[in-house]
């Protein structure tokens, strides 16, 4: 495959939008954890403590999603640099790792969405 500068450049908008979505998730969960922590300090509820632990796990997954997306972005930039200096073998190899990092980030995102959906389903069940 003949890799050109425009191919890794195609990842830039996708990764940037993905990072925005990940950051929004992170901020929402962080705010919820702060709120629940305050509630826990007031009530000492074990239920709230359990919710904070589950949210902490999701926060950890989001951190890893962000890290792998950033790695993918960095590797795409390195790929473009390698193409520029005409090291095509290395450019192809690094671009492959960039795609792999993006795939890992998306799989982690899928897992986090599944956890989020399960948590909402449990809360909705309580309302019935």
């Amino acid at each position: 495959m003949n890799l050109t500068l425009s191919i890794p450049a195609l990842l830039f908008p996708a990764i940037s939008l993905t990072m925005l979505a990940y950051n929004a998730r992170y901020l929402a969960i962080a705010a919820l954890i702060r709120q629940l922590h305050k509630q826990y300090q007031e009530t000492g509820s074990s239920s709230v403590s359990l919710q904070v632990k589950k949210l902490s796990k999701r926060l950890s997954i989001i951190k890893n999603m962000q890290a792998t997306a950033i790695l993918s972005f960095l590797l795409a930039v390195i790929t473009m640099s390698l193409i520029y200096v005409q090291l095509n073998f290395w450019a192809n190899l690094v671009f492959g790792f960039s795609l792999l990092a993006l795939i890992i980030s998306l799989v982690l995102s899928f897992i986090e969405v599944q956890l989020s959906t399960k948590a909402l389903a449990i809360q909705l069940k309580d309302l019935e």
Side-chain angles (χ1 to χ4, degrees):
M1 178 177 124
N2 191 15
L3 202 58
T4 64
L5 282 173
S6 61
I7 293 173
L10 288 173
L11 289 181
F12 283 30
I15 295 171
S16 297
L17 289 173
T18 301
M19 289 296 298
L20 282 172
Y22 292 172
N23 195 40
R25 283 186 194 173
Y26 177 85
L27 291 174
I29 290 176
L32 185 56
I33 287 174
R34 287 184 188 99
Q35 178 186 355
L36 288 172
H37 183 264
K38 184 179 179 183
Q39 185 180 349
Y40 175 75
Q41 286 179 326
E42 292 170 358
T43 64
S45 170
S46 62
S47 168
V48 172
S49 176
L50 184 60
Q51 285 180 334
V52 169
K53 286 179 185 174
K54 297 275 185 189
L55 288 171
S56 179
K57 179 179 179 175
R58 286 179 52 203
L59 209 53
S60 176
I61 292 171
I62 292 172
K63 177 189 71 166
N64 290 327
M65 288 163 34
Q66 290 174 323
T68 54
I70 291 168
L71 178 63
S72 178
F73 206 156
L74 179 63
L75 291 175
V77 171
I78 291 170
T79 298
M80 292 177 72
S81 300
L82 291 170
I83 292 169
Y84 183 74
V85 295
Q86 298 179 347
L87 294 172
N88 294 325
F89 170 78
W90 292 107
N92 282 315
L93 186 66
V94 172
F95 186 65
F97 283 117
S98 176
L99 292 176
L100 180 63
L102 185 57
I103 289 169
I104 291 169
S105 178
L106 293 172
V107 168
L108 288 171
S109 177
F110 178 76
I111 291 168
E112 196 277 329
V113 167
Q114 295 301 311
L115 289 173
S116 174
T117 304
K118 285 179 185 176
L120 288 174
I122 290 169
Q123 286 191 337
L124 288 174
K125 215 176 229 185
D126 288 347
L127 293 175
E128 293 176 354

